[in-house]
């Protein structure tokens, strides 16, 4: 059976992949494949998340005519995004689908929630099935996109509808144990960053270790929540084992924005890079019960940064202790 | 003692008067402005600015029937005792000539009734123009506006050369809006001169590159002092925009108290200052002592409180 042998080869490759941890050759970096109908927002997502384009400007983005590859690389995140234009079938023989999907870590299918998505779902189920046959380890993710145009109830309903439609389609194609994750996204708020974070976390091999380390750090320094962020894309690579509140993640994103924006005005040196090894920011917020929020930030490379939030009433005592501790902790991560 | 300033906000219907007022004074974000409906007749808004300065905003609906009314039957009521007229032009307007004629009529009425008023023109919705053409389009529109201002001013023999003080390009989607409004507000605040003087001294004591004073609610720049040249002349409005956006996005849960951002080449402190202001101190030294700077800011506070 050709299917079986495929899987075996896959296993072997995965094993090799784990061993060559340090001297990772260029082409083994996992890929994130973006697919979707025409005008569903694939390019806009890429531009907003990885190129810091403001959402309003994406209106002028032209439709993508060919396959676009991009490398995203920082200390923990290291992957390649491949975008297939909607009119192109990624499983065309000329495009070498076997090779593409062997390397594929996550397959994102973007659905325009404001449009009629029956065709899109049929196509998606077909693609998912084909990709699954090539590589069963792919994480399948569906972005129910452009959710900003829907009302609160409509969003949940749409997600539910998509979920069921996909399930039906996959059943018809005879594939049972294919796991699909659904995200409601919009480029006009933080949901796209959150969703992309979840996708990327699946590709980070050190995730459990990072989580443990962040937990230890929290306990040791009286921090209630900490994230490990990729500064340039606002993707969080890891967080501690406590659940993530969306509002706190949003706040962190905003803090990163403020820090970068101010740094780029006053701190960009000769090379125009606003971030260097001494970058840090402390932002204090007050609430009626004098809650404080700390983002003690120090970087282990130019891209990644830790951000921790401390909630306490004795803000002043802690301000002096968090930064050195976090710096020490981040040193630990970088090694 | 509080001083009142009457500010007229005029312009064609749909040019964005209410949108910009809502963003600057009512904490709207740009995206929410699409929900605003047209203004009927005149909407009055009292805005307390810097504690004792009250801006009395007259947001005048721009539909033609209202405009006729303003210019004929309500002429005295509208144009008396005006300190500032802000006239908004839609850059993409298809009848720019017509807009200009209305503008001329308004300006004539204003100069008759309150000859000392200052006039600012905003060429609004610049974001709709492609970036490469913005400057060119703005220059063209500005020239038109100035030409009509002159026409309006001539019969009144005003001492000033031109009735209009300044033209701005603006858009609610970027920092240009803050630039325009900061300049307008700057003209309205009393004792700005003394404040800048004090800020300069403070900057010298701290050895700071730059100190900026923001109004607390709007985050418009009131005064600034710089000891070293900075290459980016638009930085004030950029900072206003950045902090205002941040404040708005965390408003529902938290309120901003202070902020310290640094890297190896700079160190910036943003702190609540007096009851009505925020201060931003920029030091060149990335390793500046946080505690010392914060203490200095705290100690300077009473001096500025006296000024308000």
């Amino acid at each position: 059976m050709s299917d079986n042998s495929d899987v075996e080869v896959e296993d072997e490759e995965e094993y090799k992949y784990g061993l060559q941890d340090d001297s990772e050759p260029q082409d083994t970096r996992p890929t994130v494949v973006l697919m979707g109908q025409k005008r569903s927002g694939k390019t806009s997502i890429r531009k907003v998340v990885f190129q810091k384009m403001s959402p309003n400007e994406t209106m002028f983005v032209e439709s993508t005519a060919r396959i676009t590859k991009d490398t995203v690389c920082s200390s923990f995140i290291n992957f390649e995004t491949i975008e297939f234009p909607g009119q192109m079938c990624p499983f065309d023989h000329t495009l070498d689908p076997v090779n593409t999907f062997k390397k594929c870590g996550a397959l994102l299918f973007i659905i325009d929630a404001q449009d009629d998505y029956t065709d899109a779902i049929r196509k998606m189920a077909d693609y998912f099935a084909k990709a699954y046959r090539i590589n069963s380890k792919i994480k399948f993710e569906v972005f129910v996109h452009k959710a900003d145009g829907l009302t609160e109830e409509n969003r949940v309903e749409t997600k539910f509808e998509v979920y069921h439609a996909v399930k039906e389609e996959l059943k018809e194609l005879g594939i049972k144990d294919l796991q699909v994750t659904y995200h409601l996204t919009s480029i006009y708020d933080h949901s796209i960053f959150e969703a992309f974070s979840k996708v990327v976390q699946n590709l980070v091999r050190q995730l459990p270790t990072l989580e443990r380390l962040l937990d230890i750090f929290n306990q040791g320094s009286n921090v209630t929540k900490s994230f490990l962020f990729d500064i340039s894309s606002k993707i969080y690579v890891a967080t501690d084992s406590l659940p993530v509140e969306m509002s706190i993640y949003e706040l962190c994103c905003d803090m990163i924005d403020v820090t970068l924006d101010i740094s780029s005005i006053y701190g960009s040196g000769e090379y125009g890079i606003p971030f260097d090894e001494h970058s840090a920011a402390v932002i204090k917020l007050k609430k009626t019960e004098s809650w404080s929020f700390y983002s003690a930030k120090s970087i282990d490379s130019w891209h990644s940064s830790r951000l921790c939030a401390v909630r306490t009433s004795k803000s002043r005592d802690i301000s002096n202790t968090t930064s050195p501790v976090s710096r020490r902790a981040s040193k630990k991560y970088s090694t | 003692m509080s001083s009142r300033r009457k500010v007229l906000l005029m312009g064609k219907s749909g040019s964005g008067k209410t949108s910009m007022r809502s963003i600057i004074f009512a904490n709207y974000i740009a995206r929410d402005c699409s929900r605003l409906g047209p203004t009927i007749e005149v909407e009055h808004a009292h805005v307390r600015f810097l504690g004792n300065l009250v801006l009395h905003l007259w947001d005048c609906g721009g539909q033609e029937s209202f405009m006729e009314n303003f210019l004929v039957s309500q002429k005295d009521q509208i144009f008396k005792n005006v300190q500032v007229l802000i006239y908004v032009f839609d850059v993409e307007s298809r009848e720019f000539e017509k807009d200009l004629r209305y503008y001329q009529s308004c300006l004539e009425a204003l100069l008759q009734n309150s000859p000392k008023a200052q006039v600012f023109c905003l060429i609004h919705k610049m974001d709709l123009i492609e970036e490469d053409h913005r400057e060119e389009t703005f220059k063209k529109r500005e020239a038109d506006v100035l030409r009509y201002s002159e026409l309006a001013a001539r019969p009144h023999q005003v001492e000033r050369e031109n009735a209009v003080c300044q033209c701005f390009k603006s858009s609610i989607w970027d920092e240009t809006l803050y630039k325009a409004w900061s300049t307008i507000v700057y003209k309205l605040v009393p004792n700005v001169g003394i404040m800048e003087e004090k800020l300069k001294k403070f900057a010298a004591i701290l050895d700071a590159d730059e100190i900026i004073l923001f109004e607390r609610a709007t985050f418009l720049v009131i005064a600034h002092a710089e000891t070293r040249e900075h290459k980016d002349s638009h930085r004030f409005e950029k900072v206003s925009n950045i902090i205002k956006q941040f404040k708005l996005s965390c408003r529902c849960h938290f309120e901003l108290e202070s902020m310290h951002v640094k890297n190896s080449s700079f160190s910036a402190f943003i702190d609540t200052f007096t009851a009505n202001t925020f201060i931003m101190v920029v030091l060149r030294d990335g390793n500046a002592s946080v505690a010392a700077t914060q203490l200095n800011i705290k100690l300077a506070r009473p001096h500025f409180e006296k000024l308000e």
Side-chain angles (χ1 to χ4, degrees):
Chain A
M1 290 287 280
S2 69
D3 261 358
N4 258 343
S5 66
D6 254 346
V7 172
E8 269 175 42
V9 171
E10 191 47 48
D11 272 353
E12 253 177 57
E13 268 185 11
E14 189 60 28
Y15 185 54
K16 262 190 249 158
Y17 183 67
L19 273 183
Q20 297 172 338
D21 211 5
D22 293 314
S23 55
E24 201 174 318
Q26 285 290 304
D27 53 339
T28 59
R29 92 168 36 118
T31 58
V32 174
V33 176
L34 284 130
M35 296 197 291
Q37 298 281 70
K38 244 177 160 171
R39 318 269 333 132
S40 58
K42 303 175 289 299
T43 313
S44 302
I45 290 180
R46 244 175 359 100
K47 297 257 181 204
V48 169
V49 176
F50 298 109
Q51 284 159 30
K52 268 204 148 234
M53 185 185 261
S54 97
N56 306 312
E57 285 169 52
T58 57
M59 268 188 265
F60 304 116
V61 166
E62 305 220 340
S63 89
T64 316
R66 61 183 65 124
I67 299 171
T68 321
K69 294 187 183 187
D70 242 334
T71 317
V72 182
C73 185
S74 73
S75 51
F76 291 111
I77 323 187
N78 183 3
F79 61 87
E80 190 180 46
T81 60
I82 304 180
E83 181 187 335
F84 287 100
Q87 65 274 17
M88 201 180 274
C89 176
F91 296 93
D92 199 277
H93 285 298
T94 50
L95 297 172
D96 191 12
V98 176
N99 199 10
T100 313
F101 288 96
K102 276 272 166 60
K103 283 194 295 175
C104 176
L107 200 163
L108 309 189
F109 199 96
I110 290 116
I111 286 182
D112 184 346
Q114 294 180 29
D115 206 15
D116 180 27
Y117 42 74
T118 33
D119 279 347
I121 287 177
R122 198 161 306 133
K123 208 171 184 182
M124 175 172 78
D126 180 41
Y127 287 173
F128 276 10
K130 280 180 178 153
Y132 184 72
R133 289 197 186 108
I134 295 171
N135 178 359
S136 61
K137 290 210 165 52
I138 296 178
K139 301 266 195 275
F140 294 93
E141 319 262 353
V142 177
F143 283 15
V144 182
H145 196 51
K146 305 192 190 174
D148 50 288
L150 305 176
T151 58
E152 199 65 46
E153 299 157 27
N154 248 333
R155 281 180 208 182
V156 182
E157 213 170 276
T158 311
K159 192 173 159 185
F160 199 65
E161 260 176 48
V162 170
Y163 168 78
H164 274 286
V166 174
K167 216 171 159 189
E168 285 297 311
E169 287 287 336
L170 286 175
K171 211 196 241 166
E172 257 174 53
L173 289 166
I175 290 183
K176 284 190 196 102
D177 40 357
L178 191 153
Q179 290 288 327
V180 186
T181 323
Y182 298 85
H183 309 266
L184 273 168
T185 58
S186 157
I187 49 169
Y188 291 98
D189 56 31
H190 297 86
S191 56
I192 189 66
F193 295 100
E194 235 247 325
F196 234 100
S197 301
K198 298 256 167 70
V199 172
V200 168
Q201 280 166 27
N202 283 327
L203 303 177
V204 176
R205 275 163 294 142
Q206 310 94 321
L207 186 69
T209 322
L210 291 174
E211 238 179 60
R212 272 296 293 149
L213 281 169
L214 287 174
D215 273 338
I216 294 168
F217 166 71
N218 283 4
Q219 280 165 16
S221 43
N222 201 10
V223 172
T224 42
K225 184 81 193 152
S226 50
F227 292 94
L228 184 70
F229 265 96
D230 176 66
I231 283 293
S232 52
S233 60
K234 286 185 281 186
I235 284 175
Y236 69 97
V237 182
T239 179
D240 51 53
S241 50
L242 289 166
V244 179
E245 273 175 58
M246 192 59 185
S247 63
I248 291 181
Y249 172 68
E250 282 173 10
L251 190 66
C252 292
C253 284
D254 291 329
M255 288 195 208
I256 293 175
D257 276 341
V258 171
T259 309
L260 283 185
D261 288 343
I262 292 185
S263 301
S264 65
I265 294 177
Y266 287 103
S268 50
E270 301 117 73
Y271 311 109
I273 300 164
F275 238 70
D276 59 29
E277 64 272 29
H278 293 292
S279 281
V282 178
I283 298 173
K284 262 192 248 175
L285 301 168
K286 61 180 168 210
K287 222 190 161 189
T288 37
E289 323 129 25
S290 93
W291 269 28
S292 311
F293 232 98
Y294 274 90
S295 78
K297 190 168 2 170
S298 47
I299 25 156
D300 48 21
S301 84
W302 282 4
H303 304 285
S304 273
S305 147
R306 285 193 61 267
L307 208 100
C308 58
V310 187
R311 299 166 175 182
T312 167
S313 48
K314 285 186 280 176
S315 50
R316 247 146 261 268
D317 303 336
I318 285 172
S319 70
N320 295 328
T321 51
T322 40
S323 344
V325 172
S326 64
R327 196 153 298 149
R328 227 177 297 139
S330 73
K331 253 181 209 146
K332 212 194 270 173
Y333 295 135
S334 59
T335 48
Chain B
M1 207 194 84
S2 77
S3 41
R4 279 166 155 262
R5 298 281 193 277
K6 180 172 169 186
V7 180
L8 281 187
L9 202 54
M10 300 188 92
K12 196 186 69 138
S13 162
S15 56
K17 301 174 290 298
T18 311
S19 294
M20 63 169 81
R21 172 174 70 99
S22 307
I23 288 181
I24 298 280
F25 296 106
N27 286 338
Y28 272 58
I29 51 174
R31 224 180 323 136
D32 289 345
C33 287
S34 55
R35 292 193 210 133
L36 291 168
T39 308
I40 306 298
E41 301 216 325
V42 183
E43 261 176 40
H44 298 271
H46 293 262
V47 183
R48 193 167 277 278
F49 192 84
L50 267 181
N52 52 15
L53 177 69
V54 177
L55 300 183
H56 191 174
L57 286 171
W58 292 48
D59 185 354
C60 306
Q63 285 166 42
E64 275 172 35
S65 55
F66 301 142
M67 283 294 238
E68 304 289 347
N69 267 342
F70 299 152
L71 288 168
V72 184
S73 54
Q74 299 172 315
K75 196 171 176 177
D76 291 351
Q77 194 196 339
I78 300 269
F79 292 101
K80 270 256 158 26
N81 298 321
V82 176
Q83 262 81 35
V84 175
L85 166 70
I86 299 170
Y87 205 94
V88 185
F89 291 96
D90 181 347
V91 71
E92 285 249 282
S93 169
R94 283 189 217 116
E95 306 165 300
F96 201 71
E97 283 295 315
K98 198 170 162 197
D99 300 347
L100 284 169
R101 274 198 296 279
Y102 267 116
Y103 166 67
Q104 189 189 346
S105 318
C106 286
L107 199 57
E108 275 167 4
L110 178 79
L111 290 173
Q112 258 173 30
N113 288 294
S114 21
K116 288 223 170 69
Q118 307 197 30
V119 182
F120 297 93
C121 293
L122 303 187
I123 315 290
H124 199 48
K125 304 197 185 173
M126 287 304 281
D127 54 297
L128 295 176
I129 308 289
E130 264 181 73
E131 200 143 13
D132 310 341
H133 301 297
R134 274 183 203 168
E135 197 53 40
E136 189 191 324
T137 319
F138 172 65
K139 282 274 175 278
K140 216 160 67 193
R141 292 277 190 256
E142 186 184 32
D144 281 343
V145 170
L146 290 179
R147 193 155 45 83
Y148 272 83
S149 314
E150 242 171 274
L151 280 182
R154 202 171 298 149
H156 296 281
Q157 302 286 312
V158 216
E159 302 93 83
R160 289 173 287 177
E161 275 180 22
N162 216 326
V164 72
C165 293
Q166 215 168 341
C167 269
F168 298 100
K169 49 177 179 239
S170 64
S171 155
I172 55 170
W173 296 101
D174 59 30
E175 69 276 356
T176 49
L177 187 66
Y178 288 88
K179 161 89 181 166
W181 279 87
S182 281
T183 322
I184 294 169
V185 160
Y186 188 85
K187 293 259 163 76
L188 292 174
V189 178
N191 59 35
V192 165
I194 312 168
M195 247 187 247
E196 296 224 301
E197 207 53 46
K198 289 242 178 192
L199 276 187
K200 271 213 180 84
K201 268 187 205 154
F202 188 36
I205 294 168
L206 278 178
D207 193 25
D209 278 18
E210 185 153 270
I211 297 186
I212 311 176
L213 209 59
F214 298 98
E215 203 275 331
R216 192 169 198 155
T218 57
F219 248 91
L220 293 173
V221 176
I222 309 166
H224 60 88
E226 53 178 9
T227 55
R228 276 193 201 90
E229 287 260 325
H230 192 284
K231 57 181 185 300
D232 186 357
S233 60
H234 298 296
R235 62 190 182 283
F236 302 126
E237 51 269 23
K238 278 186 189 159
V239 174
S240 287
N241 195 17
I242 292 164
I243 311 274
K244 184 85 185 272
Q245 295 304 333
F246 178 67
K247 261 186 71 175
L248 290 184
S249 57
C250 59
R251 164 185 55 169
C252 30
H253 311 283
F254 315 97
E255 201 186 323
L256 177 67
E257 188 183 323
S258 71
M259 195 185 287
H260 171 216
V261 180
K262 67 162 201 154
N263 70 15
S264 56
S265 58
F266 87 109
S267 194
F269 297 83
I270 297 170
D271 214 333
T272 30
F273 202 47
T274 64
N276 307 304
T277 55
F278 265 84
I279 195 169
M280 169 156 149
V281 177
V282 182
L283 302 169
R284 175 168 284 185
D285 179 11
N287 294 319
S289 160
V290 179
T293 315
Q294 275 167 352
L295 186 66
N296 278 329
I297 292 176
K298 204 172 144 192
L299 290 175
R301 210 166 281 164
H303 293 280
F304 284 88
E305 267 161 2
K306 262 185 262 162
L307 272 179
E308 274 173 18

